[in-house]
Amino acid sequence: MREVHVNLTGRSYTVAIGAGLLPETGKRLKDSGFSGKAVIITDATVRELYADSLAQSLTGEGFNVTTLAVPPGEENKSLQTAGHLYERLTDARVERGTPILALGGGVIGDLAGFVAATYLRGVPLVQLPTTLLAQVDSSVGGKVAVDHGRLKNMVGAFYQPRLVIADTDTLRTLSEEEFASGLAEVIKSAAIQDERFFQYLEANLERIKARDGDALEEIVYRSVKIKAAVVVQDELDLGLRNILNYGHTIGHAVESVSGFALKHGQAVAVGMVAAAGIAQEMGMLAEGDAARLRSLIERAGLPVEIPAVPVEDVMKMMRHDKKIRENRIKFVLLKSIGNVAITDEVDLSLVEQVLAGK
């Protein structure tokens, strides 16, 4: 087991990473000063896998546990679902000190985090991510949100958890597609900040895909360490933290236009390859580095080309990106593996050309 400390003034917390950690949750919460009630928010699929053992861990330490489950899927990350959860929390007589435990993937982490941030003007949040994508990305850093209309994460807040527990044993129950989706964020982390980590992924990808225990702990630990270092320097996403959005400007647009038929990691993979193509066309990125990125993404079982959606719709959706300033779209582009630049000087006709494969 390894730990990463996210050292924010007045809001520091620990990310615990390793196998067999979920059954220790009750003790960890008690050791952190919590007692009394606890609420688990999860989805129906994850509830069947892990909610009972988590609840037993909590009740064994004297907690009075309420479990709330919502249907799985991005379409349930909504204000309507949040409103339903508020009613259930009221029924359970949740208090300001009652922790909400987000048990699941990125959708549950975002939804339960948004509910925790807004109910009673904020109750404690504990992230218990059960997917690779959530463990390496969405559970760390304090971004919580719900979708609105066709736009992802448009209503949200910055709200840091009190604790993150990433039990890598939960990654063994993921489908191949879901696991590959998480690998997109792992590859992103290495591509933007750490060439040695990128080399590790190139050399050990088969072990990782076979879900070797040591390899899983290594990739989660190194990805979280990269993200934590960035978040500590730019908690509110005003500058440096933008680099974590590599592949996301295009990826979010593709994901939305697909009607969320494409998983988040799959869309980010497409976005990373497209961004590499843009950087190469602009003379920023060597052809060899672009080829390395594309090869690793393909080997991970992820798509590298935009799916059968209208390019003009993707371009239109990008203009709704949250980071637009004065009608200029901000892109994160690779200069080399492990080194990125943030720019709003990208000609949109070039973006359209790359997306169209011309």
Side-chain angles (χ1 to χ4, degrees):
M1 192 273 289
R2 285 191 271 186
E3 293 184 344
V4 175
H5 300 286
V6 185
N7 296 312
L8 297 165
T9 304
R11 297 175 307 286
S12 297
Y13 56 94
T14 297
V15 183
I17 301 158
L21 297 184
L22 208 57
E24 300 176 5
T25 301
K27 184 177 186 306
R28 285 180 177 272
L29 260 64
K30 189 173 181 180
D31 290 346
S32 297
F34 292 106
S35 61
K37 299 175 183 177
V39 176
I40 300 168
I41 295 181
T42 188
D43 68 36
T45 301
V46 176
R47 180 176 188 167
E48 293 299 315
L49 293 169
Y50 302 117
D52 285 348
S53 62
L54 175 59
Q56 288 171 12
S57 167
L58 294 164
T59 56
E61 295 293 337
F63 287 92
N64 180 3
V65 181
T66 299
T67 300
L68 306 178
V70 301
E74 183 79 28
E75 63 273 17
N76 295 295
K77 199 175 88 175
S78 65
L79 288 169
Q80 181 179 4
T81 305
H84 171 70
L85 289 170
Y86 294 146
E87 293 176 4
R88 299 291 302 278
L89 293 177
T90 301
D91 292 342
R93 299 182 183 275
V94 164
E95 301 165 359
R96 289 289 295 273
T98 302
I100 285 180
L101 283 62
L103 176 68
V107 168
I108 286 296
D110 282 354
L111 172 64
F114 177 80
V115 169
T118 50
Y119 189 74
L120 298 178
R121 297 193 178 96
V123 298
L125 171 66
V126 176
Q127 291 279 9
L128 300 169
T130 60
T131 66
L132 181 57
L133 192 150
Q135 290 189 4
V136 302
D137 185 49
S138 58
S139 66
V140 179
K143 284 186 176 180
V144 298
V146 294
D147 302 337
H148 186 60
R150 295 177 66 192
L151 303 177
K152 274 183 68 73
N153 302 328
M154 288 301 287
V155 183
F158 289 94
Y159 194 69
Q160 300 294 343
R162 298 288 186 88
L163 176 67
V164 180
I165 300 173
D167 186 340
T168 52
D169 279 345
T170 63
L171 305 182
R172 300 182 187 280
T173 59
L174 298 178
S175 68
E176 294 293 331
E177 185 181 46
E178 192 73 53
F179 187 76
S181 182
L183 282 177
E185 293 286 356
V186 175
I187 292 169
K188 178 210 74 178
S189 297
I192 63 172
Q193 283 268 280
D194 191 341
E195 185 180 11
R196 290 181 64 184
F197 184 25
F198 196 91
Q199 292 169 346
Y200 174 87
L201 296 176
E202 290 176 313
N204 293 278
L205 189 60
E206 298 313 312
R207 282 180 63 213
I208 294 165
K209 290 171 70 175
R211 311 198 198 180
D212 172 86
D214 290 341
L216 291 179
E217 184 174 305
E218 183 72 11
I219 64 171
V220 175
Y221 172 74
R222 291 175 76 162
S223 298
V224 169
K225 196 171 180 181
I226 287 168
K227 181 163 188 180
V230 173
V231 168
V232 166
Q233 295 177 72
D234 181 20
E235 180 183 359
L236 300 182
D237 205 2
L238 300 175
L240 177 65
R241 188 166 174 169
N242 285 183
I243 69 173
L244 298 174
N245 292 309
Y246 179 58
H248 286 61
T249 299
I250 293 171
H252 274 167
V254 170
E255 187 180 6
S256 295
V257 171
S258 76
F260 301 109
L262 212 60
K263 290 188 177 296
H264 176 73
Q266 294 172 325
V268 168
V270 170
M272 286 193 289
V273 173
I278 292 166
Q280 189 178 339
E281 289 293 327
M282 292 175 66
M284 292 176 60
L285 181 66
E287 182 179 350
D289 281 347
R292 283 178 68 192
L293 179 68
R294 183 185 181 101
S295 174
L296 184 59
I297 288 172
E298 283 188 304
R299 287 176 58 204
L302 291 159
V304 294
E305 295 179 353
I306 188 171
V309 295
V311 171
E312 57 270 24
D313 288 355
V314 176
M315 296 298 297
K316 182 179 178 180
M317 191 62 67
M318 272 195 287
R319 291 183 172 90
H320 290 286
D321 190 275
K322 296 185 292 298
K323 292 171 184 62
I324 286 182
R325 294 291 182 273
E326 297 178 358
N327 293 318
R328 302 180 76 90
I329 299 177
K330 190 177 293 184
F331 285 89
V332 182
L333 300 177
L334 285 187
K335 298 166 69 177
S336 61
I337 300 296
N339 187 15
V340 294
I342 302 169
T343 180
D344 61 3
E345 299 294 331
V346 179
D347 188 331
L348 293 187
S349 64
L350 172 60
V351 178
E352 191 165 2
Q353 176 183 320
V354 169
L355 291 177
K358 296 178 181 177

